[in-house]
Amino acid sequence: MAKYADSGNISSMAGETVTVRGWVQDTRNLGGISFVTLRDRNSTIQITLPKKKIEPTLFETLTKVSRESVVSVTGEVKESNQTALGVELIPSACEVISEAATPLPLGVVDKVNVEMDTRLNSRFMDLRKPEVRAVFEIRSMATALIHEYMIANGFVNVATPKINAAGAEGGATLFKVDYFGKPAFLAQSPQLFKQMLMSTGLDRVYEIGPAFRAEHSNTTRHVTEFTSWDGEFCWIEKEEDVMDEIEKAVRYIIKGINERCARQLQILGKEAIEVSAEPFPKLTYSECLKIVQAKGLNLADGADLGTDGEKLVGDYMAEKGFPLYFICEYPEEEKPFYIMEKDGTPYSFSFDLDYKGQEISSGGQREHRYDRLLARMEKKGLNPDDFEDYLAAFKFGMPPHGGFGIGIDRFIEKMLDLPNVREAVLFPRDLNRLYP
Ligand code: ATP
């Protein structure tokens, strides 16, 4: 039996007889000679069929097989200065392993603009395009780099429950499920659990897991199921300690992608992911308000910056050469109950990390003092009885702590300049999409 080769190693096999496997991307019949382009995970291999030298049924099979069929082809590797790999395969046998039906739901190489919805409806076919696959190969590496960074920096990887009883952070965006006849809810974030862990001695934890939000807004930045990278750690003195940790982690990931994903970046037309040499700037919310007001957006003091405000700040920071920057000291009214207030001011020890004009992360110093936490819950109109298990962890010795949550989907979207967060999700879920 001939040995297997693929587009990654066939260039060094001239003179050998090998078997290659993949998808028939294209067939060109030029009379006396035909070419079949076989695609595998990395690239394409040219199969050359000089009509007179190829056994007729083999010629017929390979030149007539439908596009995107999966085939296995055995033949001799010959040097060629006409192909990108420097070799071509002259076939002596082939097997059609899985014939593709026609017509295809979506072209793989056709240069026509197809709506994102059409692509997502046939995502398996869409993913056969190298530029679509490259996004997920980079995302995979980003995830590996997060694990690397977090473990190397003393964080313990945890998994918290995604099905919970009532009493999560907020009601509006909760998905309700039937849990053996009782109501339960899908987790919006691991927030309460990772904070409870802060009282245990597992004092640096992280999690990469799904988060569910019943978002009723149909935007380019919201999906109903996203992947959250959460970190929480004790013994911080100020929220800046959390910002510094995120910055180090984000820099590590971007550097790692630049070093390890050169091929995928090239497919996406990028040399490298840019990151500022200087530290990520830390703008206060009040400074941002002035920036957006100067750009003509009339936001009242205390108002949410919103998509438009964030975008204007992004434009302002882009001019200064900063794709990534923090926005800190948000009004406490804008932030959840677990964030620590900045006493004597209307602000809080919280921040967002924005990437090219879009929030990708929020975090801050948490309120670890039991009485103050209760007071904040009451101020937010929450009933402490609904948070009994969470509060218990604060009653018996809770260190000062802080943390962050980054949406990996938005991180990848912005890193790769994708026009929509859905482009960074394999099978996105949103207001209108529950399949495939
Ligand atoms: P936004 O204001 O943009 O809706 P948020 O304030 O609800 O975001 P947080 O609750 O602070 O977001 O969540 C932290 C991070 O989780 C966000 O910065 C984002 O990266 C991610 N995230 C939150 N909701 C979604 C969503 N619906 N789709 C994709 N990512 C999300």
Side-chain angles (χ1 to χ4, degrees):
M1 203 178 82
K3 70 174 170 184
Y4 289 118
D6 60 36
S7 60
N9 59 14
I10 196 167
S11 296
S12 62
M13 294 182 171
E16 296 185 49
T17 296
V18 301
T19 298
V20 294
R21 296 160 296 179
W23 292 262
V24 173
Q25 178 166 293
D26 194 24
T27 312
R28 280 174 299 144
N29 296 313
L30 307 179
I33 191 159
S34 294
F35 302 100
V36 172
T37 307
L38 188 81
R39 188 186 64 248
D40 62 19
R41 65 177 293 175
N42 291 316
S43 181
T44 56
I45 296 169
Q46 180 178 298
I47 298 168
T48 306
L49 299 111
K51 195 167 184 179
K52 287 198 179 132
K53 296 190 186 157
I54 304 286
E55 196 268 313
T57 35
L58 174 61
F59 185 88
E60 180 82 4
T61 308
L62 266 177
T63 52
K64 294 278 156 57
V65 67
S66 55
R67 283 215 270 173
E68 296 302 318
S69 294
V70 170
V71 298
S72 163
V73 185
T74 302
E76 194 191 340
V77 184
K78 284 215 157 148
E79 278 180 8
S80 161
N81 53 15
Q82 309 285 313
T83 67
L85 294 178
V87 291
E88 60 189 348
L89 191 84
I90 313 296
S92 50
C94 93
E95 184 194 347
V96 177
I97 296 171
S98 171
E99 192 166 5
T102 54
L104 297 172
L106 194 69
V108 174
V109 280
D110 314 320
K111 293 272 171 274
V112 281
N113 277 339
V114 182
E115 297 270 326
M116 187 181 66
D117 260 340
T118 311
R119 291 177 32 226
L120 292 177
N121 286 343
S122 298
R123 193 56 148 166
F124 72 94
M125 192 57 86
D126 190 42
L127 281 156
R128 293 187 187 185
K129 300 173 192 156
E131 67 276 19
V132 177
R133 241 174 20 249
V135 171
F136 295 96
E137 289 166 357
I138 291 173
R139 184 178 161 135
S140 163
M141 185 57 77
T143 307
L145 288 157
I146 294 170
H147 285 296
E148 264 179 41
Y149 177 88
M150 298 305 273
I151 295 290
N153 284 277
F155 287 86
V156 174
N157 183 211
V158 299
T160 63
K162 304 301 164 211
I163 310 174
N164 296 305
E169 288 178 52
T173 62
L174 279 173
F175 278 113
K176 194 171 176 185
V177 293
D178 175 13
Y179 195 70
F180 306 118
K182 288 189 190 134
F185 300 92
L186 299 183
Q188 293 168 308
S189 90
Q191 183 65 33
L192 305 187
F193 292 100
K194 63 180 183 165
Q195 281 195 267
M196 285 158 78
L197 291 173
M198 293 300 97
S199 77
T200 66
L202 289 174
D203 60 3
R204 288 169 84 77
V205 302
Y206 81 101
E207 174 165 11
I208 297 177
F212 304 92
R213 307 263 170 114
E215 301 274 7
H216 281 275
S217 41
N218 201 355
T219 74
T220 58
R221 60 198 244 155
H222 291 106
V223 277
T224 50
E225 177 176 351
F226 66 96
T227 305
S228 190
W229 158 29
D230 275 84
E232 198 75 20
F233 53 105
C234 286
W235 316 115
I236 68 162
E237 279 167 18
K238 45 191 186 324
E239 86 281 23
E240 270 180 64
D241 299 343
V242 184
M243 289 191 250
D244 292 345
E245 193 70 58
I246 300 187
E247 176 164 351
K248 278 193 277 169
V250 165
R251 283 184 184 280
Y252 182 85
I253 293 156
I254 292 178
K255 184 165 176 278
I257 287 172
N258 284 338
E259 285 169 0
R260 303 185 204 173
C261 295
R263 187 180 70 83
Q264 287 83 356
L265 289 174
Q266 195 192 8
I267 290 172
L268 293 170
K270 291 189 179 301
E271 237 170 68
I273 308 300
E274 283 175 23
V275 66
S276 58
E278 302 89 67
F280 300 173
K282 296 180 172 107
L283 304 168
T284 63
Y285 164 84
S286 304
E287 282 168 341
C288 290
L289 212 55
K290 288 201 187 101
I291 293 169
V292 303
Q293 283 164 348
K295 287 189 178 259
L297 185 66
N298 223 349
L299 283 185
D301 198 0
D304 184 4
L305 288 178
T307 312
D308 294 341
E310 282 177 25
K311 175 133 192 355
L312 289 176
V313 177
D315 295 344
Y316 176 86
M317 294 311 286
E319 283 165 24
K320 298 192 174 302
F322 292 107
L324 284 145
Y325 46 90
F326 292 102
I327 303 179
C328 41
E329 287 193 20
Y330 271 89
E332 64 82 11
E333 261 190 24
E334 283 286 312
K335 288 289 167 182
F337 72 87
Y338 46 79
I339 283 287
M340 189 184 273
E341 291 180 11
K342 197 169 178 189
D343 283 343
T345 77
Y347 304 111
S348 62
F349 290 115
S350 63
F351 63 82
D352 285 354
L353 174 64
D354 280 33
Y355 199 174
K356 299 175 188 166
Q358 182 174 289
E359 178 203 319
I360 61 159
S361 170
S362 64
Q365 177 158 17
R366 318 304 188 188
E367 182 52 78
H368 64 282
R369 298 161 296 184
Y370 182 76
D371 295 339
R372 296 288 299 263
L373 187 58
L374 272 187
R376 246 188 97 65
M377 272 181 179
E378 276 155 15
K379 192 168 175 180
K380 297 270 170 192
L382 296 167
N383 182 357
D385 293 345
D386 293 338
F387 294 84
E388 210 181 327
D389 297 323
Y390 169 75
L391 284 170
F394 289 75
K395 232 180 192 171
F396 302 99
M398 174 63 91
H401 63 273
F404 61 86
I406 298 190
I408 293 184
D409 324 79
R410 281 194 196 171
F411 184 30
I412 298 294
E413 174 206 337
K414 286 292 159 185
M415 180 191 291
L416 302 178
D417 299 309
L418 305 173
N420 193 312
V421 69
R422 291 164 182 77
E423 298 278 2
V425 184
L426 276 175
F427 298 103
R429 294 286 173 260
D430 63 29
L431 203 53
N432 304 310
R433 182 174 288 281
L434 197 49
Y435 61 87

